[in-house]
Amino acid sequence: MAPLALLCLLFLAPSRSSAAECGRNTSLAGHEADLRMSQHQLRGRVAVLDGCSFRVSSLDLLAGSADARWWRADGADLAALSRGSPAAPDPLNRTFASESLVFRLLPGLSWPLVPVLAAFDPLTSSLFGFVRLAASNSSSDPSSSKAAAAAAASPTEEPTMFASCAQLSPRLRVRWTLREAANAIDVGLEAAVGSEYYMAFGWADPGRNVSMIGADVAVAGFTEEGLPFADDYFVTKYSECLLRGDGGAEGVCPDTFYDRRNRSTAGDASVNNTRLVYGHRRDGVSFVRFSRPLASPDKRYDVAVNATREMTVIWAIGLLRQPDLLRPYYLPLNHGAPAGTAYGFLTLNVSAATNGCPGPLDAEDKEDQGRITAERQTPLVVTTGPALHYPNPPNPEKVLYINKKEAPLLKVERGVPVTFSVEAGHDVPLYITSDAVGGNATARNMSEVIYAGSPTAEGVPATPTELVWLPDRNTPDLVYYQSLYDPKMGWKIQVVDGGLSDMYNNSVLLDDQQVTFFWTLSGDSINIAARGEKKSGYIAIGFGGAMVNSYAYVGWVDDNGTGHVNSYWIDGKDGMSVHETHENLTYKRCRSENGVIIFEFTRPLTPSCSGRVECKNIIDPSTPLKVIWAMGSQWSSGRLSVKNMHSVTSNRPVRILLLSGLAEAVEDLRPVLAVHGFMMFVAWGLLLPGGIVAARYLKHVKGDLWFQAHTYLQYSGLAVMFMGVLFAVAELRGFSFKSTHAKIGAIAFTFTCMQPVNAYLRPHQAENGEILSRNRITWEYLHTYTGRTALVAAVTALFTGLQHLGHRYGSKTIKGLTCGLVVWVVSAVLVVAYLEYMKVKRRRDGADGLTHKFVLSNTEEDDSVDFLQSDRFDSKMDSGSPGSMEVQLEPLKG
């Protein structure tokens, strides 16, 4: 048992040491202080229990991020909080509703190391609130502790804390603290309304039935400059404040507006007995604290408040008209809503402490900053100014202003360029970042994505710098504009979808104009969107000539309102033939707008995979992409059935030229292209080859028949070929050499056009018995092999032309033409082989004579010798030749 006991003691030793440590650091035990609200509607009272734990009672707090903690620091400014560290391990990532909780400090911490206890979110450097704790050396003095506690409890010290609270409506609360000894009551009004609304609260005339007539109310709100106000009003009529002809007033008017002649001598203080104490707007909630006397010296327009009995109070919220030259006061407009929502009555005893406000007010719209929507070609002027209402405390003294608004919420649209004219100073370069704090996140060991801006994006009013930023469909919904050097000078940028035509560079209507296809080429990827032009349950687009053997993308919204985008391979016409694939689709989005489906995604041009069917789904921007579509009423992941069948689909694909942004429906062979192809076949399949055959195989015929046939066929072929080229240019609306067919055709056309020029420049044939000149021999080789090269290129162009048409119109249409051309080429080769055989036979039999020239000639020149034939010298030595010569040999005499 001894080892076990020792082991137990070892485990218990740390807890005993920790308990002893908590017991020793008790200098602040019993110290209490209210939390000072900065944001997130933080309220509560902190009480130090012992050396390492504290209690927060009546804790109200809107949820922070997962990193929000109780924080220790040596101050409440940004620099001090940045140097601080967590004080307790408990996260503040949920909403606290009037809870009382005990928290323990982290091991190794004690209260002397926590001069300031704050609720802090280090992710966004957001201070929710804090409390200052007395130092250990001063807290040992009871009098100093009492003084600190008294200061913390002072209503002017922490103006958001009150003794009681009542819920007047879902959006409006009243808080109060009775100071009967001072003949005063402090009232706090808070409402989850916009800054353009007023809040009214006061006491009804006890001598009347429940009515607003005769009521003494305080109207509170905020000026256009964001400053709080609270004024004393009296109700004489259910109307706005109106000036009567006798100089009097009626309606809901300030006390100072009644009997203005008496006010001019007595002054405003005699009737305006509402004194503003504090006011702020945080998280979309207006809060104004004011003080008023229980028994006012103004017996005419003020109602005396009995602190010990129940009295009827009235309240209202509504729009507020700012002062102008005709009405130099804040004018509450008609609340215009049913009772209990925008106005009402309540029986209240101010001496009865109560807390009828469960949790913090949570406004739907928490953004109080000014709003600016960026417009195309309208620059946003960026300057600096004092931080008066920065939305995310703590903050530096100087922040960014845009168009003279302090740190406004900037709204931009994807696809619309945003231009900033930076005039904030040479030490304040602007940049767009994913980091909520800014000031170069890498310096804080944080990562960030920079979307625009650099150290050079700085300027002054005399020499501003222009920064242009183009948010695209991959830009997050929320980014920030900040200073590159100093943190928390800027604020949020809300990125929203503009029109798809703004977000994408190109768009075309697909077949039947039922679906619009959008795309943008971006490096090695493509951004794609599809929008139906009528209501449907899903929309699908496919890459291919038909749904069968196509790669499809389907977008739909499920019953929960969640959008989906999936990819498929379709190899049949039933549900079992639709196979879901795993393509690398990013930035997938799908939504329904009034029943119209819109989906978007990004995919690589060339999939980085192998062995799967989707790996063959390669998009070549230089090759036309065939796109089809379908719509139906219902889609789902997993096994498909008849209910997922499309109800309408495209009749034919559309060819889209991704690089040029052009598109055309796939049709039957166009007459223009048909004429082009026919003329090229006539030229290169009949006329030009016929001219070559005549020059090579008809020279044994007497006369110049071979020459006449060669000349006429070649020039006819040139004319027909030229006309065919013109038809192709008309079809393409200009010259284009992007396709293989066009490049090979251009080679054939060039070599063919060289032949008549070559024939015109040929050197003259040598006279009988003369040696051929080097120029003549060179010309013969050039003329012959240029023609043969042109013939090979032309035949290749015929086949590539048919292949090009196959991509354009489908293999079924072109298959027969290709087969026919193959048969024709094979037949021509066989005919040439036969003619070549007969030529060789005639040469052996001596029947060729001396007319074996492959030249362009006329009857005036003797071009009867073909110097490109191997037998040309044998022919000259033939005794039967006209140019032969007999020699008599005689014996030599010795």
Side-chain angles (χ1 to χ4, degrees), residues 277-292:
V277 176
Y278 175 81
H280 70 219
R281 277 195 59 85
R282 297 282 189 273
D283 316 302
V285 176
S286 296
F287 174 80
V288 176
R289 180 172 184 149
F290 60 90
S291 177
R292 61 151 292 169

Side-chain angles (χ1 to χ4, degrees), residues 793-865:
V795 173
T796 305
L798 291 176
F799 281 101
T800 57
L802 290 176
Q803 183 183 18
H804 186 66
L805 291 178
H807 288 303
R808 188 162 184 159
Y809 297 105
S811 59
K812 294 181 181 180
T813 307
I814 305 303
K815 186 176 181 180
L817 295 176
T818 304
C819 293
L821 182 60
V822 170
V823 171
W824 177 260
V825 171
V826 172
S827 302
V829 170
L830 293 176
V831 170
V832 170
Y834 173 76
L835 293 175
E836 190 69 21
Y837 167 76
M838 294 301 297
K839 176 182 175 63
V840 172
K841 183 178 179 181
R842 284 193 300 270
R843 182 185 304 149
R844 289 176 179 176
D845 295 341
D848 275 356
L850 296 178
T851 56
H852 292 295
K853 283 294 293 173
F854 182 14
V855 295
L856 293 174
S857 182
N858 54 49
T859 57
E860 297 177 359
E861 293 185 34
D862 184 13
D863 284 334
S864 59
V865 182

Side-chain angles (χ1 to χ4, degrees), residues 433-598:
T433 174
S434 62
D435 184 44
V437 179
N440 190 0
T442 56
R444 295 179 281 108
N445 296 321
M446 300 289 290
S447 61
E448 67 177 333
V449 178
I450 298 177
Y451 299 96
S454 67
T456 61
E458 47 82 13
V460 294
T463 57
T465 297
E466 187 176 89
L467 173 64
V468 179
W469 169 47
L470 179 62
D472 56 27
R473 66 174 302 273
N474 300 332
T475 306
D477 294 338
L478 183 64
V479 293
Y480 301 85
Y481 61 92
Q482 297 284 2
S483 166
L484 188 60
Y485 298 147
D486 299 307
K488 299 186 75 171
M489 290 190 67
W491 191 227
K492 299 177 181 178
I493 300 178
Q494 182 182 4
V495 185
V496 300
D497 288 341
L500 290 177
S501 58
D502 291 329
M503 297 167 57
Y504 292 86
N505 293 343
N506 306 280
S507 65
V508 297
L509 278 169
L510 300 183
D511 184 48
D512 292 337
Q513 300 185 348
Q514 299 290 333
V515 175
T516 305
F517 182 80
F518 301 85
W519 78 95
T520 296
L521 292 171
S522 178
D524 57 357
S525 63
I526 182 172
N527 304 323
I528 293 175
R531 181 185 66 204
E533 300 302 329
K534 68 178 184 178
K535 296 181 179 180
S536 63
Y538 72 85
I539 181 174
I541 59 171
F543 296 161
M547 275 294 179
V548 178
N549 296 327
S550 69
Y551 295 96
Y553 304 90
V554 182
W556 78 98
V557 178
D558 61 23
D559 296 336
N560 299 322
T562 303
H564 303 269
V565 179
N566 281 2
S567 59
Y568 298 88
W569 162 250
I570 303 176
D571 58 5
K573 295 185 178 181
D574 56 4
M576 298 296 295
S577 302
V578 181
H579 312 284
E580 185 172 352
T581 59
H582 302 282
E583 292 193 32
N584 182 23
L585 304 184
T586 56
Y587 302 104
K588 297 188 294 184
R589 288 186 291 181
C590 182
R591 63 186 185 275
S592 176
E593 295 181 357
N594 299 322
V596 172
I597 299 295
I598 301 171

Side-chain angles (χ1 to χ4, degrees), residues 362-393:
D362 191 0
E364 293 182 2
D365 184 5
K366 297 180 174 60
E367 187 61 58
D368 285 330
Q369 295 302 102
R371 300 169 187 254
I372 294 178
T373 300
E375 301 290 345
R376 188 189 299 268
Q377 298 179 349
T378 301
L380 302 172
V381 180
V382 182
T383 57
T384 57
L388 302 176
H389 307 287
Y390 190 76
N392 185 24

